[in-house]
Amino acid sequence: MTQQTQPSPCPTPGGAAFAPRWWVAGDLNALFGLGTNNLLNLLVLTGLLLGVVEVPAELVFGRILPAVGVMLCLTNAYYAYLARELARSTGRSDVTALPSGASVPHMFIVVMVVMLPVKISTGDPILAWHAGVAWVFLEGLVILAGSFVAPAIRRLTPSAALLGTLAGVSIAFISLKPMMEIFMNPWIGLPALVIILGGWFAGVRFPLGLPAALVAVVVGVAIALVDGQLQLSGIGEAFEHVGFHLPLLQPLAILSGLENVWPLLVTAIPFGVYDFIEAMNNVESAEQGGDSYPLRKVLVALGCTSLVGTLLGSPFANAVYIGHPGWKQAGGRIGYSLATGVLILAVCLLGVVPVLLSLIPLPAVLPILLYVSLLVAAQAFQTNASRYAPAIVFAMVPHFAAWGLTLVDGSLDAVGASAVTLGSELAQRGILYEGMFRLGQGAIISGLLFGAITVFLIDRRFSHAAGYALAGGVLSFFGFIHGPAIGWAVSPQLAGAYGLVALMCWLFRYCPQNELCEEAAH
C-alpha cells in the first residue's frame, strides 16, 4: 500500500494551527500497558545476561541496562515526535504513536547464537558481551541500508500479506508461550487476564480510574503474597544495585567484539532484514488503523538508535513493536510513547530492575502481551476484504513451523541429542523436522511471500504472483529463507521449485478461468 501524502497543518476554527496535546487521559492506560511490556522484556534480557552468559551483575546493572535505557528513550521520544507532527499536520486528536522497545526475538538470538558460544569457547563473559555489541552494531547498519528499499517493498506488497505474516508472529511467538505460562500459574494469570480483557475490550472502569494494566499487576502481586509465591526476603539484596548509573561510551567493545563476530556476519544480515520487514509491517498496521507514518524516517530512527545503544554497550537491538492497534484502542495517543521512554530510562539508570524482578510475578504482566497479540491478529482480517482471508492464514503458516522448531530444538538440546541422529525416529512420531526446519527459517519473509502470491492469485494478477514466486526462488538460493545461513546455493531445490511456481503462475494467464471465481475476485 502506498503511503499517504501528509496535508498541510489544519487550522482551528479561530485560525491558528492545530496544537495537539502531549498528554490525554488515555495515555495513562497505554503507558501502563506498553511500559509494563517493556519492563517485562527488561527482566527477560537481564535474566539472560546473568543466568546464561554469566555477565557480572555490576556490568549488567551499571553499564548494559543504562545503555539499553538510553536507546529505548531516544526511540520512543522520536516516535512521539512523529505522532505529534502527524496530528498537527492532519488536525486530528486521535493519532497514536508507534510503540517500540527491545527486540524480543533478538534477545534470545544474540544471547544463544552469538554471546553464549563465545563465552563457552573463551570462558570470558566480557568478550561474549563485546561480541553481542558488535553483532548488533552490524545489524543496525543493515537496518539503515534497508530503510532505502523498504518503502518500495511496502508499496508493491499487498496489505493482507504484510499484516498476515505479522499476525503469524503475533500468535505463534506472543500468544502461545505467555498463555502456557498463565496456565502454569492460573491463580495469578487468569485473574490478571480477565482484568486486561475487561478493561480494554469491555471498557470496564476500575476504582479511582486506575488503568487496567496497573490493576492487573496489583492484583497479581496481592495473590502472590497471599499464597506465598512472593518471597519478600530477597528484596533487601535487590536494593543493593539501586543507585545512579550513567552509561559510558564503549567503542572498544565493538572493535574487540568484531574479532569474534565476523564469522557470524551472515546471521546479522538476515536478522537486519527481519527487523526492517517487521518494522514495515508494523507501519502498515498503524496505517490501517488510521495513522500513516513515513517508513524511511521510522527505519532510520530505528537503525540510528540501535547504533547509539551499541556505542554505549547495549548488545540488544531496537524494534518497532507489534501492537499499535491495541494501544490506540486503550486510549494511547502521543504522551504514552514519550512517557514509556522516560520510565524505562529512569528504571535503567536508577538500577531498579532487580527490585522489579523480586516484586512482580511474571503471570501478572503476561496478559498484556496476549491482549496485544489478539488485536494484531484480528486487524489482519478486519482491515482486508474477506476474500483475502485464505492469504492471511497462509502467511501465518511459516511462523507456526518456526515456533515448533524452537520447541523441538530446545527439547533435543535438553537431553543432549540432535535432529541429525534422531531424524528418522522423529519422523515416525509425526515430527517432520526437515520440513519444519526449512519452512521455519526466515518465516517473516516467507510468510510475506506466501500471502502476496495468494492475494495476487485471488485477484488474478498472475504476473505479480509470478514475480513474488521468483523472488522466493532468489531468496531461497542465497539462504535468506528456508536455509540456516546466507551463502551460495543454500537451498537449490527449493529455489528451483519456486522458479517452477513462478512459471506456472505466469502460464495461468493463458488458461480458461471459472466465472464464479472471477466474480469472487472482484
Side-chain angles (χ1 to χ4, degrees):
M1 176 177 289
T2 57
Q3 294 180 336
Q4 298 173 357
T5 304
Q6 303 296 346
S8 58
C10 294
T12 61
F18 175 69
R21 297 168 59 186
W22 281 103
W23 185 265
V24 298
D27 280 318
L28 183 61
N29 209 16
L31 165 63
F32 275 99
L34 181 61
T36 306
N37 190 352
N38 270 277
L39 289 174
L40 171 63
N41 293 331
L42 281 180
L43 303 185
V44 172
L45 66 86
T46 300
L48 290 172
L49 290 173
L50 295 173
V52 177
V53 190
E54 299 178 339
V55 178
E58 294 76 16
L59 179 59
V60 173
F61 299 120
R63 291 290 177 264
I64 296 177
L65 286 183
V68 172
V70 170
M71 175 184 73
L72 299 185
C73 184
L74 289 174
T75 310
N76 278 280
Y78 182 71
Y79 290 164
Y81 163 77
L82 285 183
R84 194 169 192 275
E85 287 299 295
L86 178 61
R88 185 187 62 81
S89 65
T90 59
R92 291 169 43 216
S93 60
D94 64 342
V95 172
T96 298
L98 290 169
S100 68
S103 175
V104 177
H106 291 64
M107 291 181 195
F108 297 94
I109 295 298
V110 74
V111 168
M112 300 298 183
V113 177
V114 180
M115 298 175 71
L116 183 58
V118 174
K119 165 64 168 55
I120 293 173
S121 63
T122 66
D124 189 345
I126 305 301
L127 285 180
W129 166 50
H130 290 175
V133 171
W135 190 81
V136 175
F137 180 82
L138 296 174
E139 189 181 358
L141 295 178
V142 174
I143 296 173
L144 285 177
S147 68
F148 294 96
V149 299
I153 296 174
R154 181 174 174 230
R155 187 169 57 250
L156 296 171
T157 306
S159 172
L162 293 169
L163 297 184
T165 192
L166 194 63
V169 175
S170 178
I171 295 174
F173 290 97
I174 301 181
S175 287
L176 293 176
K177 188 173 184 292
M179 199 63 186
M180 292 175 186
E181 295 196 38
I182 286 172
F183 271 81
M184 289 173 63
N185 198 335
W187 282 107
I188 295 176
L190 287 178
L193 175 59
V194 79
I195 289 171
I196 293 295
L197 297 181
W200 287 346
F201 281 144
V204 174
R205 299 181 63 182
F206 296 100
L208 304 176
L210 294 177
L214 178 59
V215 175
V217 171
V218 170
V219 170
V221 171
I223 295 175
L225 277 171
V226 170
D227 68 5
Q229 295 187 48
L230 188 60
Q231 301 295 327
L232 298 178
S233 58
I235 295 180
E237 184 179 344
F239 273 97
E240 293 178 2
H241 296 284
V242 174
F244 190 68
H245 309 282
L246 279 175
L248 299 175
L249 287 173
Q250 307 284 345
L252 294 180
I254 298 175
L255 296 176
S256 171
L258 286 174
E259 297 177 6
N260 293 298
V261 86
W262 275 122
L264 293 170
L265 175 62
V266 291
T267 63
I269 294 174
F271 276 99
V273 173
Y274 171 98
D275 279 337
F276 79 73
I277 293 291
E278 182 182 43
M280 178 180 70
N281 293 346
N282 286 321
V283 170
E284 174 69 18
S285 175
E287 180 162 324
Q288 292 296 329
D291 299 334
S292 177
Y293 288 105
L295 179 57
R296 182 163 295 152
K297 289 184 178 181
V298 170
L299 286 171
V300 168
L302 196 65
C304 287
T305 52
S306 289
L307 292 178
V308 168
T310 60
L311 289 172
L312 294 174
S314 167
F316 298 104
N318 211 348
V320 179
Y321 270 3
I322 290 174
H324 175 276
W327 307 130
K328 194 176 191 71
Q329 182 167 319
R333 296 298 177 255
I334 299 170
Y336 90 103
S337 177
L338 180 59
T340 296
V342 173
L343 171 66
I344 298 303
L345 178 62
V347 166
C348 292
L349 294 185
L350 297 177
V352 181
V353 171
V355 179
L356 297 175
L357 274 170
S358 62
L359 277 178
I360 302 176
L362 191 60
V365 294
L366 289 174
I368 295 172
L369 298 182
L370 186 62
Y371 160 79
V372 169
S373 172
L374 294 176
L375 279 180
V376 170
Q379 185 194 43
F381 294 95
Q382 292 168 345
T383 59
N384 286 282
S386 60
R387 69 176 183 273
Y388 296 133
I392 295 170
V393 174
F394 195 16
M396 296 181 185
V397 170
H399 299 285
F400 295 108
W403 177 75
L405 187 65
T406 62
L407 298 186
V408 174
D409 284 344
S411 301
L412 293 175
D413 288 342
V415 297
S418 72
V420 175
T421 58
L422 296 178
S424 59
E425 295 185 28
L426 291 174
Q428 291 174 8
R429 288 164 174 78
I431 302 173
L432 306 179
Y433 185 86
E434 183 179 355
M436 185 188 303
F437 181 85
R438 290 183 177 183
L439 183 57
Q441 297 297 317
I444 196 166
I445 302 176
S446 59
L448 185 149
L449 293 173
F450 291 175
I453 291 170
T454 308
V455 166
F456 288 132
L457 288 177
I458 290 171
D459 288 345
R460 296 188 172 182
R461 299 168 69 183
F462 298 123
S463 58
H464 290 70
Y468 269 85
L470 192 61
V474 174
L475 292 171
S476 298
F477 186 84
F478 290 105
F480 283 94
I481 57 176
H482 309 315
I486 293 177
W488 178 261
V490 175
S491 301
Q493 290 183 336
L494 278 166
Y498 271 109
L500 181 59
V501 169
L503 176 61
M504 295 176 67
C505 289
W506 178 266
L507 292 176
F508 284 166
R509 303 170 62 198
Y510 306 102
C511 296
Q513 296 165 14
N514 188 295
E515 293 182 2
L516 293 177
C517 292
E518 184 174 1
E519 292 177 4
H522 298 286

